[in-house]
Amino acid sequence: MSQAVIDFCEGLKTTLLSIEDRLGKAQTVLATGAARASEEAKKHVDEAAAELAKFKTHAGLMAEAIRAELPERGEAVKSKLTEFGQEAQVAMRHAVIFLAETASKGAVGAAGALHVGAEQAQKLAENLRRETAVTTPSADPSGGQTASS
């Protein structure tokens, strides 16, 4: 064999070993990055779920406190309303009803928004987990270069 063929074969061997080494490194980096992303997403989902649970507990306690105070406050409002005329009493009752309904709807809306946010975070984590599970390194990690170029 001529020296040129031997040099070409040695160069080809070196290139192939280098590509194999880079593929191994890319697989390691990909696995590490995917694990980190999965852990980060899980952490955020867990934090959101914990915050939602705390908010639900707090909202439940607030609702219980409001329900406990309603009869007492209702009597106070009724006694105050007797001091006003009939039209003023009706207007005041409507205002109190409107405020109570608005506060209730606001609490329900906030709880619903937190719940939707938690569900979206969970879906994101599941999608990341699924994408990580099916991701494979590309066949040509060198950016389109081959041994012949």
Side-chain angles (χ1 to χ4, degrees), residues 73-101:
R73 288 195 177 193
E75 291 302 318
V77 169
K78 283 182 187 177
S79 67
K80 291 279 186 192
L81 288 176
T82 58
E83 299 173 10
F84 300 107
Q86 187 67 24
E87 289 177 11
Q89 287 181 23
V90 171
M92 291 292 278
R93 285 178 191 251
H94 285 295
V96 168
I97 291 168
F98 175 76
L99 288 174
E101 287 176 342

Side-chain angles (χ1 to χ4, degrees), residues 17-66:
L17 289 174
S18 173
I19 290 172
E20 183 180 41
D21 183 51
R22 281 193 263 164
L23 275 173
K25 288 178 182 176
Q27 286 176 326
T28 303
V29 168
L30 178 64
T32 303
R36 265 193 235 127
S38 178
E39 289 171 9
E40 187 72 21
K42 183 182 180 330
K43 178 181 138 191
H44 288 296
V45 167
D46 291 344
E47 287 175 359
E51 287 296 318
L52 179 61
K54 282 188 341 187
F55 179 78
K56 283 182 176 179
T57 301
H58 184 65
L61 293 174
M62 285 176 29
E64 286 178 24
I66 290 170

